[in-house]
């Protein structure tokens, strides 16, 4: 530890540290020696000889010692510095000056060229579907319409319709035995599942009309026609910039019900405001059915009229959601009469407070079908 301390002290070119226990001796002022007189010198020399003889020295040695001159002692001792220590001192000084130089250069450069913040990473752009989904749905729906429509009285009509979406040279009978009659009323394309290698499978929901079987007894009426929903999965291929049907499709079932969902929490009702605006909502829906809703809506609101033949039977319920401010929303359950039938429906109604010099009132600003 003392060696490391010595090297550091020399690298920094500092004076050697002094010990606290042994303070540096102070040089005593030189004493002025006065030359003794001749008589005194004789007695001093005689005293020294007597003292020397008592200490066992010969008279000759005493005379020799008296003739020698004394040199003053040097207050420090010169020690030769070792080669390794000298190298460490030089290396340390070089490293120290390099560090100082780098600090100075870096600081000066920052005055003229301040460090720029790191550029923000480029936003990640999500790539869309690589398959031409819309084209596949269009071709699959058209093919399903032609595929499930047949008439034994004109079988070529079906073959010509299928040829538009099948590869050239393919058998356009597509497995039909040229018997029976059926008509497609609606073909709605759905999910497109990519299968790789530019192939995909398109699900199409189809509504068909099947004529009833003729009665065996000619005096009786034939059985009524039947309308059925069915699914059709169509294999397609993206080739030469077009979508073509590459094989025979397959009829699949249609779910009888939707998936289970969690119940929606109903908003708390503002009972006071609901009662206050009950007549406003009833008046609106009455005029709404007549096509004259603009006469009872808020200024600037525009509500398209309902089709003819719809009459309001009554407001089953009306509840305004809890809230504050001049714009509030509520839920109205309305019963309509359409011909001989009655139909219950739900609406979300937006109200706004309209103020004038005479009074203020709530009016309908917007209406939408369905719940939240």
């Amino acid at each position: 530890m003392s060696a490391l301390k010595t090297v550091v002290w020399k690298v920094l070119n500092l004076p050697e540290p002094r010990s606290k226990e042994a303070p540096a001796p102070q040089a005593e002022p030189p004493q002025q020696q006065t030359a003794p007189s001749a008589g005194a010198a004789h007695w001093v020399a005689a005293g020294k000889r007597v003292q020397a003889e008592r200490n066992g020295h010969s008279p000759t040695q005493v005379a020799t010692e008296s003739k020698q001159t004394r040199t003053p002692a040097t207050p420090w001792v010169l020690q030769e510095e070792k080669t390794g220590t000298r190298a460490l001192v030089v290396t340390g000084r070089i490293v120290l000056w390099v560090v100082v130089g780098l600090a100075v250069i870096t600081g000066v450069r920052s005055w003229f060229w301040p460090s720029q913040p790191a550029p923000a990473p480029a936003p990640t752009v999500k790539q869309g579907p690589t398959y031409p989904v819309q084209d596949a749905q269009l071709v699959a729906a058209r093919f399903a319409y032609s595929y499930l429509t047949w008439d034994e009285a004109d079988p070529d009509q079906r073959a010509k319709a299928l040829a538009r979406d099948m590869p050239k040279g393919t058998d356009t009978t597509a497995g039909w035995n040229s018997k029976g009659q059926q008509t497609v009323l609606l073909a709605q394309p759905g999910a497109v599942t990519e299968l790789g290698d530019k192939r995909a499978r398109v699900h199409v929901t189809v509504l068909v009309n099947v004529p009833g079987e003729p009665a065996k007894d000619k005096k009786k009426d034939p059985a009524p026609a039947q309308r059925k929903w069915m699914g059709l999965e169509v294999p397609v291929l993206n080739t030469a910039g077009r979508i073509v049907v590459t094989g025979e499709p397959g009829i699949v079932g249609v779910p009888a019900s939707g998936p289970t969902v969690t119940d929606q929490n109903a908003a708390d009702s503002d009972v006071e405001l609901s009662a206050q605006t009950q007549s406003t909502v009833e008046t609106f829906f009455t005029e709404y059915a007549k096509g004259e809703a603009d006469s009872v809506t808020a200024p600037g609101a525009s509500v398209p009229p309902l089709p003819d033949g719809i009459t309001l039977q009554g407001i089953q319920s009306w509840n305004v959601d809890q809230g504050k401010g001049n714009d509030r929303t509520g839920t109205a359950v309305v019963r309509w009469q359409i011909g001989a039938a009655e139909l219950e429906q739900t609406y979300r109604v937006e109200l706004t407070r309209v103020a004038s010099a005479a009074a203020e009132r709530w009016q309908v600003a917007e209406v939408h079908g369905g719940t939240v």
Side-chain angles (χ1 to χ4, degrees):
M1 193 68 184
S2 59
L4 178 61
K5 185 176 180 181
T6 302
V7 171
V8 173
W9 231 255
K10 291 185 177 182
V11 167
L12 299 178
N13 201 17
L14 299 175
E16 290 291 339
R18 300 180 180 275
S19 174
K20 296 182 179 180
E21 298 179 357
Q26 298 180 356
E28 297 180 358
Q31 298 180 357
Q32 294 182 357
Q33 296 181 357
T34 55
S37 60
H42 176 72
W43 290 107
V44 169
K48 289 182 177 180
R49 284 196 300 269
V50 173
Q51 185 67 30
E53 290 177 359
R54 290 180 179 176
N55 293 336
H57 295 282
S58 62
T60 305
Q61 291 177 345
V62 173
T64 302
E65 291 177 358
S66 62
K67 294 180 180 180
Q68 292 178 350
T69 59
R70 296 181 180 179
T71 56
T74 306
W76 62 82
V77 178
L78 296 178
Q79 295 182 356
E80 184 179 356
E81 191 172 30
K82 297 181 180 179
T83 304
T85 304
R86 179 63 180 174
L88 288 177
V89 171
V90 174
T91 304
R93 290 177 180 175
I94 293 174
V95 172
L96 178 62
W97 281 111
V98 169
V99 172
V100 173
L102 289 176
V104 172
I105 294 173
T106 304
V108 172
R109 187 183 66 176
S110 64
W111 298 345
F112 300 97
W113 299 282
S115 58
Q116 299 294 333
T124 303
V125 180
K126 294 184 178 179
Q127 299 293 334
T130 58
Y131 204 84
V133 174
Q134 294 182 349
D135 292 343
Q137 290 177 326
L138 175 63
V139 171
R142 183 171 60 196
F143 178 84
Y145 188 95
S146 303
Y147 180 80
L148 294 176
T149 297
W150 53 71
D151 187 357
E152 60 184 9
D154 189 7
D156 292 338
Q157 183 179 359
R158 179 176 183 270
K160 292 178 182 179
L162 292 176
R164 293 194 298 262
D165 299 315
M166 299 181 72
K168 188 176 181 180
T170 305
D171 180 13
T172 54
T173 61
W176 178 48
N177 66 351
S178 302
K179 300 294 182 179
Q181 184 180 7
Q182 180 174 280
T183 305
V184 173
L185 302 177
L186 177 66
Q188 181 66 46
V192 177
T193 305
E194 295 188 42
L195 304 176
D197 197 22
K198 298 184 178 181
R199 299 179 181 272
R201 180 174 59 247
V202 184
H203 182 91
V204 183
T205 303
V206 183
L207 176 64
V208 299
N209 183 67
V210 182
E213 295 291 336
K216 295 180 180 180
D217 188 353
K218 294 182 180 181
K219 295 181 180 181
K220 295 183 178 181
D221 295 331
Q226 295 182 355
R227 293 184 177 183
K228 300 178 181 179
W229 286 100
M230 62 178 64
L232 187 71
E233 292 188 343
V234 183
V236 297
L237 172 67
N238 181 20
T239 179
R242 284 192 57 190
I243 299 293
V244 294
V245 179
T246 57
E248 294 183 357
I251 296 176
V252 295
V254 177
S257 63
T260 302
V261 297
T262 56
D263 294 335
Q264 301 295 325
N265 295 327
D268 295 334
S269 177
D270 187 334
V271 178
E272 182 179 355
L273 186 57
S274 299
Q276 181 182 347
T277 56
Q278 177 77 25
S279 60
T280 300
V281 173
E282 290 179 352
T283 303
F284 166 78
F285 278 103
T286 301
E287 300 301 321
Y288 187 32
K290 296 178 181 180
E292 300 176 358
D294 291 344
S295 63
V296 293
T297 54
S302 178
V303 179
L306 292 176
D308 295 336
I310 300 179
T311 305
L312 178 66
Q313 286 296 103
I315 305 294
Q316 300 297 107
S317 65
W318 165 245
N319 294 290
V320 180
D321 299 345
Q322 287 284 356
K324 296 180 180 180
N326 294 327
D327 297 316
R328 304 289 291 275
T329 303
T331 302
V333 178
V334 181
R335 179 169 289 275
W336 301 108
Q337 183 171 354
I338 307 174
E342 290 186 1
L343 188 63
E344 183 180 286
Q345 295 184 327
T346 304
Y347 294 87
R348 291 287 288 174
V349 182
E350 295 184 13
L351 300 176
T352 186
R353 194 200 309 265
V354 179
S356 62
E360 65 177 24
R361 63 188 181 278
W362 290 93
Q363 288 187 316
V364 175
E366 198 169 348
V367 61
H368 296 281
T371 55
V372 179

